Amino acid sequence: MGGDPADAEPVTEARGPALHPPALKPGDRVRVVAPAYPGDGRLVRGQQILESFGLVVEYGEHVYDQYGYLAGTDAARLADLNAAFRDPGVRCVFGARGGYGTQRIIDGLDVAAVRRDPKVFIGFSDLTVLHAKLWRSARLVSLYGPLATWTDTRTGPDSVESMRKALMTTDPIVIARDPAEPSSAVNLPGKGSGVASGPLLGGNLTMIETSVGCGEFPNLDGAIFLFEDTGEAPYSYDRMLTQLRRIGALHRIAGVAIGQFNAAGDGSSGWTAAQAVTDRLTDLGVPVLGGLRIGHGNGQLTVPIGAKATIDTAAGTLTVEPAVR
């Protein structure tokens, strides 16, 4: 099965309650797959961490393949992804690396297999489109968290414990605003403050905006919209949020949770990323909470996508129900 639209099943939006995969336990098998860029030597450290949880780590056949900048051909990457979701012995599908490429194969995802046997999926960045597809097509709650190409200098002990808790416990996830994060400066008074609840949906802003008009683009009505990005200038945040506003995607959101503005520049062009985002969100009239360690920056934490979330701007907290049951 290829990744072209002609090969895809018709786009349908799943209805009904969310699907929560079982929590992982020692002895469970984790399959590392690469829907985008190929794996590299950092997978060794990622494997060590997962094994320290008592999990058994295995790899998709094409994780280290190289096809241009991709982890093998579209057919090979899609085969690995679908094999992981189809294997009843695999309890967690773990993204190896981001970069680019998941959009090329996403239309070929075996949604029926996902629905038949819900399992944990974790990853972020380019894999945002997979989170969105899993939610829109199967109502599967997934985990927006580190990739298996692990770097201790960026994702240290706090990141490890956050991931373990999200994978293996049914405790709610609570993330507090970090004043050191550039996005913490997005702090709106009046209607931009308060409490709001809804399913947490979103991820990497570039990938969300790039999915406009595609089958995985999420319906954000009533949702807490989560976004983060890396290497984007302030005007890029403005441009992407403006695009989402123009198509009406943000008209009925319940609130906004903002992750990390990684490598966004110093504002020498006129505005910082936080100032540009503040300008674009002020008149939405919904609570907005920034400063969350979610995304490409240091100390990345793990959060469920699709689970019910509550932001409280006074307390400075994002609280999310567990992804697993």
Side-chain angles (χ1 to χ4, degrees):
M1 188 178 193
D4 291 334
D7 298 319
E9 63 178 51
V11 175
T12 57
E13 184 162 359
R15 303 292 181 183
L19 289 177
H20 293 265
L24 299 186
K25 60 185 185 302
D28 279 348
R29 288 165 53 200
V30 176
R31 179 80 57 83
V32 176
V33 297
Y37 278 11
D40 58 35
R42 293 172 294 171
L43 289 176
V44 173
R45 179 58 180 147
Q47 179 175 341
Q48 289 173 343
I49 290 169
L50 293 172
E51 289 176 343
S52 75
F53 302 161
L55 302 171
V56 177
V57 180
E58 56 193 42
Y59 294 90
E61 181 180 353
H62 303 284
V63 163
Y64 291 106
D65 283 8
Q66 190 89 37
Y67 177 72
Y69 37 74
L70 303 167
T73 64
D74 288 355
R77 300 192 327 281
L78 180 61
D80 275 7
L81 185 62
N82 280 334
F85 279 109
R86 290 167 179 162
D87 189 332
V90 171
R91 301 319 312 157
C92 174
V93 182
F94 206 127
R97 194 176 170 195
Y100 168 75
T102 309
Q103 282 188 313
R104 291 178 53 140
I105 64 173
I106 194 64
D107 294 322
L109 179 69
D110 188 346
V111 173
V114 173
R115 292 172 178 157
R116 185 169 58 247
D117 180 20
K119 57 192 68 179
V120 177
F121 170 71
I122 182 170
F124 84 115
S125 193
D126 186 73
L127 280 64
T128 293
V129 295
L130 183 49
H131 286 288
K133 179 76 170 183
L134 293 170
W135 174 252
R136 182 162 181 180
S137 298
R139 303 290 282 185
L140 181 69
V141 179
S142 52
L143 289 172
Y144 198 78
L147 297 157
T149 44
W150 198 279
T151 305
D152 285 315
T153 54
R154 189 183 79 84
T155 41
D158 286 351
S159 301
V160 173
E161 177 56 19
S162 174
M163 181 176 69
R164 185 202 65 79
K165 181 178 177 180
L167 289 170
M168 305 185 75
T169 81
T170 56
D171 297 338
I173 307 298
V174 181
I175 297 179
R177 177 196 288 128
D178 184 345
E181 286 294 337
S183 69
S184 67
V186 183
N187 190 10
L188 308 182
K191 292 183 178 179
S193 60
V195 177
S197 297
L200 188 69
L201 298 176
N204 178 259
L205 186 57
T206 294
M207 300 314 301
I208 295 164
E209 190 261 349
T210 306
S211 294
V212 167
C214 300
E216 73 276 5
F217 186 78
N219 179 353
L220 297 173
D221 291 359
I224 302 297
F225 175 42
L226 167 69
F227 69 88
E228 59 82 24
D229 221 314
T230 183
E232 297 294 339
Y235 80 86
S236 294
Y237 288 92
D238 183 330
R239 172 179 51 79
M240 292 185 282
L241 290 172
T242 297
Q243 167 74 348
L244 296 180
R245 291 182 60 134
R246 293 184 68 205
I247 66 169
L250 305 185
H251 287 178
R252 289 173 292 278
I253 59 174
V256 181
I258 308 176
Q260 293 167 310
F261 294 159
N262 189 53
D266 59 5
S268 58
S269 62
W271 269 344
T272 64
Q275 288 171 322
V277 169
T278 296
D279 185 75
R280 287 281 70 196
L281 298 182
T282 296
D283 63 348
L284 290 181
V286 299
V288 176
L289 177 66
L292 303 172
R293 281 196 287 141
I294 302 169
H296 289 75
N298 291 334
Q300 178 189 11
L301 303 175
T302 301
V303 293
I305 293 291
K308 183 180 178 181
T310 298
I311 55 172
D312 184 330
T313 63
T317 56
L318 166 68
T319 303
V320 194
E321 292 182 354
V324 297
R325 291 290 188 263

